[in-house]
Amino acid sequence: MYQETQEPPLFLYFFIFSSVITTITGTTTISPGTATLYASNTTQSWSSPNKTFSLRFIPLHPPQSSSPASFIAAIIYSGGSLAIWSVGHGATVDSGGSLRFLSAGNLRLVNGSGSIVWDSRTSNMGVSSAMLHDNGNLVLSNDTGSVWSSFDNPIDTIVPSQNFTIGMVLRSGLYSFSVLRYGNLTLKWDDSVPYWEQGLELNSSMSRVNFSSPVLGLQSVGILQLSDPNLIAPVLVAYSNDYNEGSDVFRVLKLDGDGNLRIYSSKRGSGIVTVNWVAVADQCEVFGYCGNNAICSYNDSNPICGCPSQNFVMVDPNDSRKGCKRKVRLEDCAGKVAMLQVDNARFLTYPPQFLINPEIFFIGISACCGNCLSSSSCFASTSLSDGTGLCYIKTGNFLSGYQNLAQPSTSYIKVCGPLVPNSPPNSLENARGWKHQKIHSWILAIVILSTFFGFLAFEVGLWLWCCRNSSGFGGFAAQYLLLEYASGAPVHFSYKELHKSTKGFKEKLGDGGAGSVYRGVLANQTVVAVKQLEEGTIEQSEKDFRMEVSTIISTHHMNLVRLIGFCSEGHHRLLVYEFMKNGSLDNFLFVDEQVLSWAYRFNIALGAARGLTYLHEECRNCIVHCDVKPANILLDENYNAKVSDFGLAKLLSPMDHRHRNLTKSVRGARGYLAPEWLANLPVTFKFDVYSYGMVLLEIVSGRRNFEISEETSGKRCTIWAYEEFEKGNIMGVIDRRLVSQGVNLEEAKRVLLASFWCIQEEPSERPTMGKVVQMLEGVIDIDRPPVPKSIIAGFSNGINGSVSAISTIPTSLGPTSSPSSSLLASAGFFYKGP
């Protein structure tokens, strides 16, 4: 439907010339008035001392191009494979152009006619030398130091050892990238529409940081990080997929002409450049990617641009990214203005567009369309058919559209009637002028009926032949049978599709229950997590496996990771989940480089509790998770908690997971298994409550619940935490990395009390997850929890020879015998049992 002619990224042209680099002989330090680079001689260059970088002219167009010869002067990495900086922001000159280091101390780019294209404006500053350093920085210096450098004047790329600060801007066409005063990173279109923003002020320990001068830097190993004098340590922003791989790999952060920010990697001398991180995963989400009035969609895995209908025409037929224009302008309409419907499409709207000019409403689809039609300032509208009733009225003069069959939205755009939608492929209406031919109705009826019965006979014959001769056809039959059991519509992927989307299961995200998880990208550019279940873990028949998968897919909650689809092909069993950008909770709790603020931790604890409550009490087919741990609590881009791997306990065993037959179902890790499992007792929903209680303790303390160290006085973390809590030392239990931040002590006490209730040895003494949610929200009073028997045993026996002063506490406490009663009463916490 849509076609696009997109010119490849500029740096790809440089590969062609990777074998023709030659340097000017002599010293790498250049004196004013002694050196000139000529566009006509692309083998001439100024090089860094170790020959890693060179400044030279590069033809803008490949040799076979018919375009007039034009050249840019750029700093190239290792053999001409990657451009990191260009003179005059990619300004071009003809074959007579040159780059001169004048005696006045300034660099000047001139055209063949002698006209000045760009100047460094460093004349009369006493510049005595120019040098291209080994880190890629071109520096003009005088006797006191640097007066100008390419690092201080970035174009579209940041390299390792280069500091990108406030006031600096990367630009590529209409797109720009910058660091904001409060620590955020932002991508903008035309300096007016911020379509991507990395909210670092909301990220972990930065929530209360008052930034003074944030600096963005790219480490050579592939880590993009933000530093500031008010930060204890730099904060991770992103990392390359090939992080820390290869000592001779060069990485850059580049803003491309398509508006996306990427980390590129290139092995020295290879001439091969690969993408290993991208800011906007869905290219069609980049505002203005297809130009004005155009619609972005996908052809296989590539974004393509097209016009909404035949009421529009391409601005440039040779470049679909330049957008579309109406064949008849609205002000020139001979008849009435009409609203053209575009299904599964939306016109992108990003703040502050609707904050400056309010254009968001809660109305129905027809009203959304009608309001736009009646308004002279409205050009298009979008209705989200996702249950929210949101309506976006587009009053701006630039419309950036995105169409995807998976989008629950409908858009309308104003055109001059009559409406002329785009024709479907092979349409009889538009093929060879058949619309002018008259066909008798009885002939048409015979053709239709004959085609129908012929197709029906073919289908029946194919079905009978396959059922008789192909055992593999049972998979297709089972897929249709699944519709009888599923309330949703699970997607059945082939193994070949998932193998391709994961690049052969190359990028491993981690090891989960019963299998490994890999990153994948579907044909529509949706990023997913693919769990490859180990062979031998699935004991069900094909039909039972699909039924269990359909049960999991029909389980929807904002705090549960969504299962998109599955693969059941031969011995291959795979599950396809939505991708969680920030990974699992354990990557933040137990790693010093990434610290979550208390506010985030509390919200994560509450979100995980709500997700488990839904599984236990609210969904149609209630589920015991059986493997609750930080590794199975995933975080989305906003650090919202989503519980993953639910339903696998029953999926991995044909036996009812609510009873004892859980030899393979319970996959719980060390420290999270409830006592009833070890005692060979029935497993119920209270099994998850115990595991969740251990997670709560880890969220507060930042320690593994079974950890033993000098800081815990040689005792298990659970025993040590309870002792400190009994002493009233709440801050002593809280993660030491949060000491410098604000911690809500009332919330921390509630979380600890809920944790001690959850880890009671007797399942009947543990609260339900619904009660736990109420505890955390503070809507019920929390009574003093009994001392968990496992903790009493630790007190009595001591850990590594260390016996607590509380070891004299009796194993059966009366209502008022706990030494904590006065502490808890004074804190005002009461909970009347499970």
Side-chain angles (χ1 to χ4, degrees), residues 204-205 232 585-598 601 698-704 711 731 733-743:
S204 63
S205 59
I232 299 175
L585 176 60
D586 58 345
N587 291 332
F588 292 87
L589 292 182
F590 313 122
V591 178
D592 290 335
E593 289 76 17
Q594 303 186 85
V595 184
L596 285 171
S597 67
W598 172 254
R601 295 189 191 208
E698 294 176 331
I699 288 176
V700 175
S701 66
R703 305 174 185 274
R704 299 281 187 186
E711 294 180 353
M731 287 302 298
V733 181
I734 294 174
D735 192 335
R736 64 185 183 282
R737 296 171 296 178
L738 300 180
V739 173
S740 60
Q741 304 181 29
V743 177

Side-chain angles (χ1 to χ4, degrees), residues 353-637:
Q353 287 177 279
F354 57 77
L355 298 179
I356 298 175
N357 298 307
E359 53 180 18
I360 180 171
F361 305 94
F362 294 92
I363 55 179
I365 296 178
S366 58
C368 184
C369 173
N371 285 358
C372 181
L373 180 61
S374 61
S375 173
S376 59
S377 61
C378 178
F379 296 95
S381 66
T382 293
S383 293
L384 300 185
S385 305
D386 57 358
T388 62
L390 284 175
C391 166
Y392 291 94
I393 300 296
K394 304 296 296 182
T395 57
N397 57 4
F398 193 97
L399 300 176
S400 180
Y402 178 17
Q403 186 174 44
N404 189 320
L405 293 178
Q407 283 193 143
S409 55
T410 303
S411 291
Y412 296 87
I413 184 170
K414 276 184 179 178
V415 296
C416 292
L419 300 179
V420 187
N422 284 324
S423 302
N426 303 322
S427 173
L428 292 178
E429 185 70 15
N430 294 289
R432 301 194 182 106
W434 285 8
K435 63 180 180 178
H436 299 294
Q437 299 182 14
K438 295 183 179 180
I439 302 177
H440 293 290
S441 59
W442 63 272
I443 297 178
L444 185 61
I446 291 175
V447 172
I448 293 175
L449 290 175
S450 299
T451 302
F452 172 76
F453 285 111
F455 181 79
L456 181 61
F458 173 77
E459 283 285 303
V460 172
L462 179 63
W463 179 275
L464 294 175
W465 182 86
C466 289
C467 286
R468 179 186 304 175
N469 298 287
S470 176
S471 58
F473 195 76
F476 293 100
Q479 183 177 2
Y480 292 115
L481 288 175
L482 179 62
L483 298 177
E484 300 177 10
Y485 305 97
S487 59
V491 180
H492 183 197
F493 297 93
S494 68
Y495 181 77
K496 183 178 179 181
E497 286 179 283
L498 297 183
H499 188 274
K500 179 181 178 181
S501 68
T502 58
K503 297 181 179 179
F505 302 100
K506 179 180 179 182
E507 186 179 342
K508 192 174 184 179
L509 299 176
D511 292 306
S516 300
V517 183
Y518 301 86
R519 184 181 186 273
V521 181
L522 301 181
N524 65 353
Q525 295 296 288
T526 300
V527 182
V528 295
V530 180
K531 176 185 275 294
Q532 189 176 38
L533 301 177
E534 297 175 355
E535 290 188 39
T537 58
I538 305 297
E539 299 179 5
Q540 293 123 316
S541 66
E542 177 81 0
K543 177 180 176 181
D544 291 336
F545 174 75
R546 292 167 179 264
M547 289 177 61
E548 290 301 332
V549 168
S550 70
T551 299
I552 299 174
I553 290 181
S554 64
T555 303
H556 300 287
H557 190 271
M558 65 181 296
N559 294 116
L560 298 178
V561 176
R562 185 167 62 92
L563 179 62
I564 298 174
F566 68 102
C567 170
S568 178
E569 189 173 302
H571 64 276
H572 298 297
R573 297 288 192 275
L574 301 99
L575 302 175
V576 182
Y577 293 94
E578 65 177 321
F579 180 77
M580 293 290 104
K581 181 178 181 181
N582 283 311
S584 58
L585 176 60
D586 58 345
N587 291 332
F588 292 87
L589 292 182
F590 313 122
V591 178
D592 290 335
E593 289 76 17
Q594 303 186 85
V595 184
L596 285 171
S597 67
W598 172 254
Y600 271 105
R601 295 189 191 208
F602 183 77
N603 288 334
I604 289 169
L606 189 57
R610 288 169 175 164
L612 290 172
T613 300
Y614 178 82
L615 290 177
H616 290 183
E617 306 171 14
E618 300 169 5
C619 68
R620 183 178 60 183
N621 299 293
C622 294
I623 297 173
V624 179
H625 191 291
C626 295
D627 197 14
V628 177
K629 57 185 178 183
N632 282 335
I633 298 175
L634 306 186
L635 307 177
D636 66 10
E637 65 272 15

Side-chain angles (χ1 to χ4, degrees), residues 69-297:
S70 58
F71 303 80
I72 64 169
I75 297 176
I76 311 301
Y77 169 73
S78 183
S81 60
L82 185 62
I84 66 168
W85 187 82
S86 60
V87 177
H89 209 297
T92 62
V93 296
D94 55 28
S95 58
S98 61
L99 179 64
R100 305 171 183 174
F101 187 26
L102 302 179
S103 56
N106 55 318
L107 278 174
R108 177 172 292 176
L109 181 67
V110 296
N111 221 328
S113 62
S115 60
I116 299 174
V117 178
W118 173 85
D119 192 281
S120 64
R121 299 181 181 179
T122 54
S123 59
N124 302 320
M125 289 185 174
V127 174
S128 58
S129 66
M131 182 177 181
L132 180 59
H133 290 260
D134 287 336
N135 60 1
N137 191 14
L138 178 63
V139 180
L140 304 183
S141 304
N142 58 18
D143 294 338
T144 60
S146 171
V147 298
W148 180 95
S149 73
S150 59
F151 276 13
D152 291 333
N153 297 271
I155 304 300
D156 59 6
T157 304
I158 300 173
V159 302
S161 75
Q162 179 178 0
N163 290 329
F164 189 72
T165 61
I166 291 178
M168 293 183 177
V169 180
L170 298 185
R171 293 190 182 278
S172 185
L174 289 173
Y175 297 101
S176 62
F177 169 73
S178 59
V179 177
L180 303 181
R181 171 66 61 184
Y182 50 89
N184 275 21
L185 311 179
T186 184
L187 288 170
K188 291 183 179 180
W189 174 84
D190 200 26
D191 289 328
S192 60
V193 180
Y195 56 89
W196 178 84
E197 187 166 316
Q198 180 68 49
L200 296 182
E201 86 286 359
L202 300 177
N203 183 4
S204 63
S205 59
M206 302 179 68
S207 58
R208 297 179 181 271
V209 172
N210 182 19
F211 291 95
S212 59
S213 54
V215 177
L216 184 70
L218 177 67
Q219 291 187 341
S220 59
V221 293
I223 292 178
L224 188 65
Q225 62 182 23
L226 190 81
S227 58
D228 187 89
N230 293 332
L231 285 174
I232 299 175
V235 175
L236 174 70
V237 177
Y239 63 90
S240 177
N241 291 338
D242 64 346
Y243 160 71
N244 208 26
E245 293 181 8
S247 58
D248 58 348
V249 176
F250 179 64
R251 301 173 178 90
V252 301
L253 180 72
K254 179 181 283 285
L255 175 62
D256 288 321
D258 60 7
N260 223 327
L261 188 70
R262 297 177 174 90
I263 294 180
Y264 287 97
S265 301
S266 178
K267 189 173 183 179
R268 179 165 183 161
S270 69
I272 299 174
V273 180
T274 57
V275 179
N276 281 293
W277 177 81
V278 60
V280 185
D282 191 334
Q283 182 61 43
C284 285
E285 295 279 3
V286 174
F287 191 88
Y289 172 73
C290 286
N292 192 16
N293 294 323
I295 303 290
C296 180
S297 60

